[in-house]
Amino acid sequence: MEHNGALDSLLQEERVFRPLPQLVIEANVNPQEYDAAVRNGNDDYLSYWEDAARELDWFRKWNQVLDDSNPPFYRWFPGAKCNIVYNALDRHITTANKNKLALIWEGETGDTQKFTYYELYRAVNRFANALRSLGIKKGDRVVIYMSPLPETIIAMLAVAKIGAVHCMVFAGFSAKALRERINDAQAKLVITADGFYRNGRPINLKKVIDEAVEGCDSVDTVVVVHRANVQVEMNEPRDLWYEALVRQESPECPTEVMDANDMLFLLYSSGTTGKPKGIVHGHGGYMVGVHRSLNWVFDIKPTDIFCCTADVGWITGHSYVVYGPLMAGTTTVLYEGHPLYPQADRMWDVIAKYGVTIFYTAPTLIRMLMRFGTQYPKMHDLSTLRLLGSVGEPINPEAWVWFYKNIGRSECPIIDTWWQTETGSFIICPFPISLLKPGSVFKPLPGIEADVVDEQGNPVPPGKGGQLILKRPWPSMLLGLYKDPERYKEAYWSQVPGAYLAGDVARKDEDGYIWIQGRSDDVLNIAGHRIGTAELESALVAHRAVAEAAVIGVPDSIKGEVAKAFVILNEDYNDPEDPDELLKQLKDHIRRELGPVAVVKSIEIREKLPKTRSGKIMRRILKAEEMGEDVGDTSTLEND
Ligand code: WT7
């Protein structure tokens, strides 16, 4: 099946889908309440967010809703004391949620583990006590490099409970990328697993950690969770087994009292330079944004079973696998392995087996699964589903409609949520009661003001493309970039005065619906994961054979986008004997440098690359050539 015309069909999409009447009647937010929330959010957005904050537990109330005295370093709920883990776990222990399932985990091998809120609370307390006894204190950074395991969630919550800062690194990153993050964060402790299962095979994670931690002076301890029984070398006294560590610990542990703007986590994401951005979130504002958005947008009910397929190493996993569902007191389902293992019905099997009611996934997964046709979903009873969700990249209408018909029985609304690591929680998305247009992310949430503007910052007319901006602060916004306030200002707040620049191109239609077209900067979106062209280029030029490199994104029918590289070889490597072998080496090299997340489709050897007179590579020209489009204005191009 060919989906390369995704953008074209997005531009022509005109269908509208209505929710079933019953769903509207039962929704947490009905149409009148929605309209009122939009009005309140516009008239007095501070009191709108203050109401949202009141739904959570705080140790001390704020002095003020928003301190905007030092833009863009906005601080929400200053003076307040809280801890997100108190809201995610502690407070449920004294309610009827105590014995409710908090977490259902399914391993790729078919084994399952279930935790009630009480059990999860006790497991988190044990590990939190162990961390404290290892000397981890409030503010210390802890890197977690793990596959999706119950202990991954336990580790995050335990770190946050004692006021330390977690920094998740997706297990698809290389040792080198991991080391860069450990060093930048100056992490004292790293948590990992011996290995995990992927596609039926155990993958060794500990090996990667050993290579990454080599020479990292900040790291005193590595905690290793048993999972895959792979051969590992324990380096004493640095390395400790998780199971041995928690055995003696008490299942009670006091929760650290945090300032609302104390750091909760650090999460690295690609930007336009080779150095990833360390995005910082705090306890107070983040919990308000995540809590309100999940409860309203995904309409959480006491009987829901919520399954989000994102890895916990990305922001979607933080907000909507861990914190959001637990704060809401719902049951979150976590699957360890590959969605096609042992065959293409694994996700449908998980939905049927646990009676999942809300299934939140990414377009790339939908496209991958739709290739196998409807025979696999038909093998399972998917009737428990009531809402579907999509995130990570624009969803092409063909995938939307397939998902809607074959998974959602033409009854479940698809909630397409636009947001970013930086925004912490949903920003632009529909509610279950909304009229949906496939491929559009609907409108900004109540309390949020977004617009599409031209180079000068003026709103563009309907139908025209422009930059997506957010015009006022929101509670779950990043506190800043780790140790780099200047880059924070420059990257997000300098182009349009007073507004946050998202880095996406979008358009609004006549009805005010927003359609996201993709990134406007040099960041690729590969299967919903951000990879900067600069990171790929610097990985390439780190290879002996490469003198210069330029990377562009090209459409891919499953991953949405993949990288294509153009390289100029060093003189000694010109006329390689076996060019195919060299190209293979270069691909392997990128994989080693960055990890399997960086998917490079092809590498082309060139004699020259198009550059401006000042020597900047014009990726735009390479891209236009590649796509067979008009190369446009080349007047600034370097002369021969
Ligand atoms: C970028 C953020 C937090 C979501 C997971 C990725 C793209 C995200 C959508 C959507 C179109 C989307 C944007 C955004 N994106 N969701 N529903 N429709 N595009 O988080 O790695 O921080 O990437 O993902 O380009 O800027 P992220």
Side-chain angles (χ1 to χ4, degrees), residues 210-251:
D210 290 339
E211 192 187 330
V213 172
E214 184 77 42
C216 287
D217 296 338
S218 64
V219 178
D220 301 326
T221 313
V222 175
V223 176
V224 188
V225 175
H226 262 120
R227 162 63 184 145
N229 276 324
V230 291
Q231 190 73 35
V232 297
E233 238 174 76
M234 294 297 274
N235 180 334
E236 310 235 345
R238 187 196 68 190
D239 298 352
L240 301 168
W241 286 109
Y242 170 88
E243 294 76 8
L245 202 59
V246 295
R247 200 169 295 137
Q248 305 301 327
E249 296 293 346
S250 153

Coordinates of all heavy atoms in Angstrom, one line a residue, residues 210-251:
D210 N 27.6 -0.8 30.6 CA 29.0 -0.9 31.0 C 29.9 0.0 30.1 O 30.8 0.7 30.5 CB 29.5 -2.4 30.9 CG 28.9 -3.2 32.0 OD1 28.5 -2.6 33.0 OD2 28.8 -4.5 31.8
E211 N 29.5 -0.1 28.8 CA 30.3 0.8 27.9 C 30.1 2.2 28.1 O 31.0 3.1 28.1 CB 29.9 0.4 26.4 CG 30.8 0.9 25.4 CD 30.2 0.7 24.0 OE1 29.5 -0.3 23.8 OE2 30.5 1.5 23.1
A212 N 28.8 2.6 28.4 CA 28.4 4.0 28.6 C 29.0 4.6 29.8 O 29.5 5.7 29.9 CB 26.9 4.1 28.6
V213 N 29.1 3.8 30.9 CA 29.5 4.3 32.2 C 31.0 4.4 32.4 O 31.5 5.2 33.2 CB 28.8 3.5 33.3 CG1 29.3 3.9 34.7 CG2 27.3 3.7 33.3
E214 N 31.7 3.7 31.5 CA 33.1 3.7 31.5 C 33.6 5.1 31.4 O 33.3 5.9 30.5 CB 33.5 2.9 30.2 CG 35.0 2.7 30.0 CD 35.5 1.6 30.9 OE1 34.8 0.6 31.0 OE2 36.6 1.8 31.5
G215 N 34.3 5.5 32.5 CA 34.9 6.9 32.4 C 33.9 8.0 32.8 O 34.2 9.2 32.7
C216 N 32.6 7.6 33.3 CA 31.7 8.7 33.8 C 32.0 8.8 35.3 O 31.5 8.0 36.1 CB 30.3 8.2 33.6 SG 29.7 8.3 31.9
D217 N 32.6 9.9 35.6 CA 33.1 10.1 37.0 C 31.9 10.3 38.0 O 32.0 9.9 39.2 CB 34.0 11.3 37.1 CG 35.3 11.1 36.4 OD1 35.6 9.9 36.1 OD2 35.9 12.1 36.0
S218 N 30.8 10.8 37.5 CA 29.7 11.1 38.4 C 29.0 9.9 38.9 O 28.4 9.9 40.0 CB 28.7 12.0 37.7 OG 28.1 11.4 36.6
V219 N 29.1 8.8 38.2 CA 28.3 7.6 38.5 C 28.9 6.7 39.6 O 30.0 6.2 39.4 CB 28.0 6.7 37.3 CG1 27.2 5.4 37.6 CG2 27.3 7.5 36.2
D220 N 28.3 6.6 40.7 CA 28.8 5.7 41.8 C 28.2 4.3 41.8 O 28.8 3.4 42.2 CB 28.4 6.3 43.2 CG 29.0 7.7 43.4 OD1 30.1 8.0 42.8 OD2 28.3 8.5 44.0
T221 N 26.9 4.3 41.3 CA 26.2 3.0 41.5 C 25.4 2.7 40.2 O 24.8 3.6 39.6 CB 25.2 3.1 42.7 OG1 25.8 3.7 43.8 CG2 24.6 1.8 43.0
V222 N 25.3 1.4 39.9 CA 24.5 1.0 38.8 C 23.6 -0.1 39.4 O 24.1 -1.1 39.9 CB 25.3 0.4 37.6 CG1 24.4 -0.2 36.5 CG2 26.2 1.4 37.0
V223 N 22.3 0.1 39.3 CA 21.3 -0.9 39.8 C 20.8 -1.7 38.6 O 20.3 -1.1 37.6 CB 20.2 -0.2 40.6 CG1 19.1 -1.2 41.0 CG2 20.7 0.6 41.8
V224 N 20.8 -3.0 38.8 CA 20.4 -3.9 37.6 C 19.2 -4.7 38.0 O 19.2 -5.5 39.0 CB 21.6 -4.8 37.2 CG1 21.2 -5.6 35.9 CG2 22.9 -4.0 37.1
V225 N 18.1 -4.7 37.2 CA 16.9 -5.5 37.4 C 17.1 -6.8 36.6 O 17.5 -6.8 35.5 CB 15.7 -4.7 37.0 CG1 14.4 -5.6 37.1 CG2 15.5 -3.4 37.7
H226 N 16.7 -7.9 37.2 CA 16.7 -9.2 36.5 C 15.5 -9.2 35.6 O 14.4 -9.0 36.0 CB 16.5 -10.3 37.5 CG 17.8 -11.0 38.0 ND1 18.2 -11.0 39.3 CD2 18.7 -11.6 37.3 CE1 19.3 -11.7 39.4 NE2 19.7 -12.1 38.2
R227 N 15.8 -9.5 34.4 CA 14.6 -9.7 33.5 C 14.9 -10.9 32.5 O 14.1 -11.8 32.4 CB 14.3 -8.4 32.7 CG 13.4 -8.6 31.5 CD 12.0 -9.2 31.9 NE 11.2 -9.5 30.8 CZ 10.3 -10.5 30.7 NH1 10.2 -11.4 31.7 NH2 9.6 -10.8 29.6
A228 N 16.0 -10.8 31.8 CA 16.1 -11.7 30.6 C 17.1 -12.8 30.9 O 17.3 -13.6 30.0 CB 16.4 -10.9 29.4
N229 N 17.7 -12.9 32.1 CA 18.7 -13.9 32.4 C 19.8 -14.0 31.4 O 20.2 -15.1 31.0 CB 18.0 -15.3 32.4 CG 17.4 -15.5 33.8 OD1 18.0 -15.1 34.8 ND2 16.3 -16.2 33.9
V230 N 20.2 -12.9 30.9 CA 21.3 -12.9 30.0 C 22.6 -12.8 30.8 O 22.6 -12.4 32.0 CB 21.3 -11.7 29.0 CG1 20.1 -11.9 28.0 CG2 21.1 -10.3 29.7
Q231 N 23.7 -13.2 30.2 CA 25.0 -13.2 30.8 C 25.4 -11.7 31.1 O 25.5 -10.9 30.2 CB 26.0 -13.8 29.9 CG 27.3 -14.1 30.6 CD 27.2 -15.3 31.6 OE1 26.5 -16.2 31.3 NE2 28.0 -15.2 32.6
V232 N 25.6 -11.3 32.4 CA 26.1 -10.0 32.6 C 27.3 -10.1 33.6 O 27.4 -11.0 34.4 CB 25.1 -9.1 33.3 CG1 23.9 -8.9 32.3 CG2 24.6 -9.6 34.6
E233 N 28.1 -9.1 33.5 CA 29.3 -9.0 34.4 C 28.9 -7.9 35.4 O 28.6 -6.8 35.1 CB 30.5 -8.4 33.6 CG 31.7 -9.4 33.6 CD 32.7 -8.9 32.7 OE1 33.4 -7.9 33.1 OE2 32.9 -9.4 31.6
M234 N 28.9 -8.3 36.7 CA 28.7 -7.3 37.7 C 30.0 -6.8 38.2 O 30.9 -7.5 38.7 CB 27.9 -8.0 38.9 CG 26.5 -8.4 38.5 SD 25.4 -7.1 37.9 CE 24.7 -6.5 39.5
N235 N 30.1 -5.5 38.1 CA 31.3 -4.8 38.4 C 31.2 -4.3 39.9 O 30.6 -3.3 40.2 CB 31.5 -3.7 37.4 CG 32.7 -2.8 37.6 OD1 33.3 -2.8 38.7 ND2 33.2 -2.2 36.6
E236 N 31.9 -5.0 40.8 CA 31.8 -4.7 42.2 C 32.7 -3.6 42.6 O 33.8 -3.5 42.0 CB 32.1 -5.9 43.1 CG 31.3 -7.1 42.6 CD 30.5 -7.7 43.7 OE1 30.7 -7.4 44.9 OE2 29.6 -8.5 43.4
P237 N 32.4 -2.7 43.5 CA 31.2 -2.6 44.2 C 30.2 -1.7 43.5 O 29.1 -1.4 44.1 CB 31.7 -1.9 45.5 CG 32.8 -1.0 45.1 CD 33.4 -1.7 43.9
R238 N 30.4 -1.3 42.3 CA 29.5 -0.4 41.6 C 28.2 -0.9 41.3 O 27.1 -0.3 41.5 CB 30.2 0.1 40.3 CG 29.5 1.2 39.6 CD 30.0 1.3 38.1 NE 29.6 0.1 37.3 CZ 30.0 -0.1 36.1 NH1 30.9 0.7 35.5 NH2 29.6 -1.2 35.4
D239 N 28.1 -2.2 40.9 CA 26.9 -2.8 40.4 C 26.1 -3.5 41.4 O 26.7 -4.4 42.1 CB 27.1 -3.7 39.2 CG 27.8 -3.0 38.0 OD1 27.9 -1.7 38.1 OD2 28.2 -3.6 37.1
L240 N 24.8 -3.3 41.5 CA 24.0 -4.0 42.6 C 22.8 -4.5 41.9 O 22.2 -3.9 41.0 CB 23.6 -3.0 43.6 CG 24.7 -2.3 44.4 CD1 24.1 -1.1 45.2 CD2 25.4 -3.3 45.3
W241 N 22.4 -5.7 42.3 CA 21.1 -6.3 41.8 C 19.9 -5.6 42.6 O 19.9 -5.5 43.8 CB 21.0 -7.8 42.0 CG 21.9 -8.6 41.1 CD1 23.0 -9.2 41.4 CD2 21.7 -8.8 39.7 NE1 23.6 -9.8 40.3 CE2 22.7 -9.5 39.2 CE3 20.7 -8.4 38.8 CZ2 22.8 -9.9 37.9 CZ3 20.8 -8.7 37.5 CH2 21.8 -9.5 37.0
Y242 N 19.0 -5.2 41.8 CA 17.8 -4.6 42.3 C 17.1 -5.4 43.4 O 16.7 -5.0 44.5 CB 16.8 -4.3 41.2 CG 15.4 -3.8 41.5 CD1 15.2 -2.5 41.7 CD2 14.4 -4.7 41.7 CE1 13.9 -2.1 42.1 CE2 13.1 -4.3 42.0 CZ 12.9 -3.0 42.2 OH 11.6 -2.6 42.5
E243 N 16.9 -6.7 43.1 CA 16.1 -7.6 43.9 C 16.8 -7.7 45.3 O 16.1 -7.8 46.3 CB 16.0 -9.0 43.3 CG 15.1 -9.0 42.0 CD 15.8 -8.5 40.8 OE1 17.1 -8.2 40.8 OE2 15.2 -8.3 39.8
A244 N 18.1 -7.8 45.3 CA 18.8 -7.9 46.6 C 18.7 -6.6 47.4 O 18.7 -6.6 48.6 CB 20.3 -8.3 46.3
L245 N 18.7 -5.6 46.7 CA 18.7 -4.2 47.3 C 17.4 -3.9 48.0 O 17.3 -3.4 49.1 CB 18.9 -3.2 46.2 CG 19.4 -1.9 46.4 CD1 20.8 -1.9 47.1 CD2 19.5 -1.1 45.1
V246 N 16.2 -4.3 47.4 CA 15.0 -3.9 48.0 C 14.5 -4.9 49.0 O 13.6 -4.6 49.8 CB 13.8 -3.8 46.9 CG1 14.2 -2.6 46.0 CG2 13.6 -5.0 46.1
R247 N 15.0 -6.1 49.0 CA 14.5 -7.2 49.9 C 14.4 -6.8 51.4 O 13.4 -7.0 52.0 CB 15.4 -8.4 49.8 CG 14.7 -9.7 50.2 CD 15.5 -10.9 49.8 NE 15.6 -11.1 48.3 CZ 16.8 -11.4 47.7 NH1 17.9 -11.6 48.3 NH2 16.7 -11.5 46.4
Q248 N 15.4 -6.1 51.9 CA 15.4 -5.7 53.3 C 14.7 -4.4 53.6 O 14.6 -4.0 54.8 CB 16.9 -5.6 53.8 CG 17.7 -6.8 53.5 CD 17.2 -8.0 54.2 OE1 16.6 -8.0 55.3 NE2 17.4 -9.2 53.6
E249 N 14.3 -3.7 52.6 CA 13.8 -2.4 52.8 C 12.3 -2.4 53.3 O 11.5 -3.2 53.0 CB 13.9 -1.5 51.5 CG 15.3 -1.3 51.1 CD 16.1 -0.4 52.0 OE1 15.5 0.2 52.9 OE2 17.4 -0.4 51.9
S250 N 12.0 -1.3 54.1 CA 10.7 -1.2 54.6 C 9.7 -0.7 53.4 O 10.1 0.0 52.6 CB 10.7 -0.1 55.7 OG 9.4 0.5 55.8
P251 N 8.5 -1.2 53.5 CA 7.5 -0.8 52.5 C 6.8 0.5 52.8 O 5.8 0.9 52.2 CB 6.5 -2.0 52.5 CG 6.5 -2.5 53.8 CD 7.9 -2.3 54.3

